[in-house]
Amino acid sequence: MGKPKTVIEKIWDKHVVHHEEGRPDLLYIDLHLVHEVTSPQAFEGLRMKGRKVRQPHLTFATMDHNVPTVHRNVIKDEISKKQMDQLQKNCTEFEIPLADINHKHQGIVHVIGPELGLTQPGKTIVCGDSHTSTHGAFGALAFGIGTSEVEHVLATQTIWQSKPKTLNVKVDGNLGTGVTAKDLILAIIGKFGVKFGTGYVIEYTGEAIRNLSMEGRMTICNMSIEAGARAGLVSPDEKTVDFLRGRKYAPPETEFDHIASEWLELATDEDAVYDATVEINADEIEPQVTWGTNPSMCIPINGNIPNPNNTDNENERNEINHALDYMGLKADTPITSVPIEHVFIGSCTNSRLADLERAASIIKGKKVNPNVRAIVVPGSQSVKAAAEEQGLDNIFKEAGFEWRGAGCSMCLAMNGDIVPAGERCASTSNRNFEGRQGAGARTHLVSPEMAAAAAIEGKFVDVRTLSVPTA
Amino acid sequence: MEPLKKHNGLVYPLNRANVDTDQIIPKQFLKRISRQGFGQFLFYNWRFDEKDQLKPDFSLNDPKYSNASILVAGDNFGCGSSREHAPWALQDFGFKVIIAPSFADIFYNNCTKNGILPVKLTDLEVQELINNAEADDYYITVDLEKKKVFDSNGFEANFDLADYPREMLLNGWDEISVTLTHSNKIDAFETKHTVH
């Protein structure tokens, strides 16, 4: 028996192309996901140097950030259109598979990877997008890269990386009814801060993580970057295997069981040692709402907005004051008293079928508050089709939600789906940064259930107090 | 990229922690398909009002900083989105060096790939630089060969930067060309590595 290893070390060791003491390793990349925003300059770089894409078949592209979610083929913004046209042109020239705007597999890159079975345990996965950490839910080592690195991976199928430190985020106990993976990751970031993961790859372990669905694990891993960690993952288990069986790009049935047994062996060994460990108990977690301008600024639904005078640290006080000012909030007021004007259910964090099903269960038979404009943006064309098959679109539409086409949409408001300045949005996305959903827009991050409940009530409300028909 | 060995320049102090890349360059400016011309959009929502007029109360709009080339900021600089447009905007605006107590990982990498030097100093050292720069026109020198930051009044601090990015910055190498010298190793790896 060799030294016990974490899943992170096992994946790393299988991908080292070149190692030299005191230098970063040259790491092989198994899957390179590409979208329209962070790739044009990389392809241009290749062209200028006369370089080719080394492994087009390990590369997969889609369009998500810029795509309109209504009237999809009428792209009013010419620069957006140019960026999408450019991706089409680049994929044709460099022979890269592309799910374009009208393709049935189009969607948010971090939703379609798992959906198509491209995302698999043990793979090294990169994309020019910080939420690439999502794919870690499958026991893959997946992280976001910049455009220079996109060009590097296109040209060489490798990347220079220093071996990361490992961080075990151990979640014992179980989430209560109405408390979701989103609440858990917000609570983790709320407790440990927006940079506790910097320099680390996180592995999420413990009973509460094992009991999460694959969708829940994706939500958790997705927001690893909001804790500073480029990658966050969960050891593969039977749930991982079951999710992938039969997917389009998963191994064929004849080889599947054999390969799945190799995947399961990647799970962290019992006595493996991490560089650091933090713990949190899921039993204690309540539905969360962010009040400020980074994801660590969150409170339980029954909490009050913090008072800057309760801290002696001057920098912290300034930060709270700045956030309160931007968000237009008063210290010490209950978050449940804050009215909202917008609801966004979508994004790579929370736009999968399971997310939409849970949100729909809250709003079924109810009406969106007249002061609220609420939109649902499925994560992919496949999610949209599956939801429509179940009639979820009708539930949303009858309640007064707008039912949109697939894309990143209002998470970063690049496609024209914008929250106006000074207005407030309950959003299932991942970043409540200043201006994220539009200049001056005020974002509150919540779970799909909490967003749905806020849409009905016109303000934040504890979803656990609503009468919900049992499924 | 341009080599960067030693740089003397005017400091612009930005006394804020957790400056995210959405602040450095908001999303509406990510639609361009070239690497050039992003400087005009740097810190757009802080520098410009809703009518696209410069806000006089935002310090970077003070003409005295128009030649600043060293940005000194608070903890966790560059967090959030992986957009390389952030270092492109900083560089195009004129910044060559960024000093902070800590940086987000992706942003830090992106800087070194573009010839921008990210320097980690302690909280106290950063605070001293910020105080000096807020008080008066303040020039410092950053020496990458000696891994030192100093001014003409006795401030001196050492910083660390891993050998690999340091060499890349000192020499201004094209990283892909370096990697391609290992092509035979990549070829050999691919013959024994299976991707399902």
Side-chain angles (χ1 to χ4, degrees), chain A residues 28-78:
Chain A
Y28 197 77
I29 297 303
D30 294 329
L31 175 63
H32 185 188
L33 298 165
V34 172
H35 65 81
E36 78 277 18
V37 178
T38 56
S39 66
Q41 294 87 352
F43 285 109
E44 186 56 23
L46 293 183
R47 222 173 265 126
M48 279 160 59
K49 294 266 166 76
R51 289 170 175 149
K52 298 248 173 286
V53 174
R54 184 178 175 97
Q55 296 290 4
H57 74 285
L58 299 183
T59 313
F60 192 94
T62 193
M63 302 170 174
D64 54 8
H65 285 63
N66 272 303
V67 297
T69 53
V70 281
H71 309 301
R72 291 170 74 79
N73 289 310
V74 189
I75 304 162
K76 291 188 195 133
D77 184 336
E78 279 180 25

Side-chain angles (χ1 to χ4, degrees), chain A residues 53-251:
Chain A
V53 174
R54 184 178 175 97
Q55 296 290 4
H57 74 285
L58 299 183
T59 313
F60 192 94
T62 193
M63 302 170 174
D64 54 8
H65 285 63
N66 272 303
V67 297
T69 53
V70 281
H71 309 301
R72 291 170 74 79
N73 289 310
V74 189
I75 304 162
K76 291 188 195 133
D77 184 336
E78 279 180 25
I79 323 177
S80 285
K81 183 165 188 323
K82 197 170 168 194
Q83 206 168 47
M84 289 190 275
D85 289 346
Q86 191 63 41
L87 181 64
Q88 188 103 42
K89 190 167 155 252
N90 289 334
C91 288
T92 306
E93 181 181 338
F94 292 96
E95 299 174 338
I96 292 168
L98 167 71
D100 70 13
I101 191 164
N102 293 314
H103 197 284
K104 66 177 180 177
H105 295 146
Q106 178 269 341
I108 305 175
V109 67
H110 310 310
V111 174
I112 65 170
E115 195 170 81
L116 292 170
L118 287 163
T119 304
Q120 292 169 19
K123 277 192 180 179
T124 47
I125 303 176
V126 295
C127 174
D129 191 284
S130 60
H131 291 111
T132 308
S133 56
T134 313
H135 307 264
F138 292 81
L141 183 63
F143 50 92
I145 56 178
T147 297
S148 296
E149 291 173 313
V150 169
E151 184 179 339
H152 190 278
V153 176
L154 288 171
T156 69
Q157 205 57 36
T158 63
I159 192 166
W160 293 99
Q161 287 286 300
S162 294
K163 198 166 185 174
K165 292 180 287 179
T166 56
L167 170 60
N168 178 12
V169 175
K170 190 162 182 281
V171 192
D172 287 325
N174 269 301
L175 295 171
T177 308
V179 186
T180 68
K182 181 63 161 289
D183 302 304
L184 172 56
I185 189 64
L186 285 173
I188 290 171
I189 298 166
K191 182 169 178 180
F192 301 110
V194 288
K195 59 165 215 168
F196 83 97
T198 304
Y200 290 95
V201 169
I202 294 175
E203 181 181 352
Y204 299 95
T205 67
E207 186 186 5
I209 301 295
R210 292 262 75 88
N211 287 340
L212 285 175
S213 64
M214 288 313 295
E215 289 82 1
R217 293 178 189 179
M218 285 188 253
T219 300
I220 299 279
C221 290
N222 172 272
M223 288 188 70
S224 302
I225 185 66
E226 298 348 308
R230 286 180 80 172
L233 45 61
V234 176
S235 279
D237 60 13
E238 290 296 342
K239 276 186 198 172
T240 322
V241 171
D242 290 345
F243 183 99
L244 290 171
R245 191 185 293 276
R247 303 254 166 199
K248 185 173 170 63
Y249 294 101

Side-chain angles (χ1 to χ4, degrees), chain A residues 18 28 30 41 51 54-55 77 83 147-148 151-152 160 195 199 230 319 322 414 434-436, chain B residues 16 18 22-23 27 30-31 34-35 46 75 84 105 109 167 174 177 179 185 187 190 193:
Chain A
H18 174 74
Y28 197 77
D30 294 329
Q41 294 87 352
R51 289 170 175 149
R54 184 178 175 97
Q55 296 290 4
D77 184 336
Q83 206 168 47
T147 297
S148 296
E151 184 179 339
H152 190 278
W160 293 99
K195 59 165 215 168
R230 286 180 80 172
E319 246 195 295
H322 201 99
M414 203 172 159
E434 287 181 28
R436 174 79 177 177
Chain B
R16 284 195 66 173
N18 302 316
D22 275 83
Q23 302 318 316
K27 71 275 178 165
L30 307 183
K31 298 178 181 182
S34 83
R35 286 176 196 243
W46 289 347
D75 221 9
E84 200 162 311
D105 290 340
N109 257 340
E167 283 168 22
D174 167 39
S177 303
T179 307
K185 285 205 154 183
D187 293 342
E190 283 178 336
H193 181 74

Side-chain angles (χ1 to χ4, degrees), chain B residues 23-119:
Chain B
Q23 302 318 316
I24 298 173
I25 182 146
K27 71 275 178 165
Q28 63 268 38
F29 307 115
L30 307 183
K31 298 178 181 182
R32 301 176 151 226
I33 56 176
S34 83
R35 286 176 196 243
Q36 281 78 43
F38 287 101
Q40 55 188 312
F41 310 123
L42 180 70
F43 297 125
Y44 195 86
N45 292 340
W46 289 347
R47 283 172 56 222
F48 294 89
D49 65 17
E50 54 279 10
K51 293 183 180 125
D52 297 327
Q53 300 298 307
L54 283 171
K55 290 182 191 171
D57 59 340
F58 185 64
S59 57
L60 188 56
N61 290 335
D62 188 330
K64 76 175 181 179
Y65 292 122
S66 59
N67 291 319
S69 59
I70 300 174
L71 174 67
V72 182
D75 221 9
N76 198 28
F77 190 81
C79 58
S81 157
S82 62
R83 56 188 72 164
E84 200 162 311
H85 311 68
W88 295 338
L90 287 160
Q91 188 168 49
D92 192 48
F93 197 84
F95 290 109
K96 292 180 161 38
V97 178
I98 301 166
I99 300 176
S102 69
F103 293 87
D105 290 340
I106 303 178
F107 177 83
Y108 187 87
N109 257 340
N110 285 343
C111 284
T112 64
K113 312 280 180 194
N114 284 281
I116 299 176
L117 172 59
V119 173

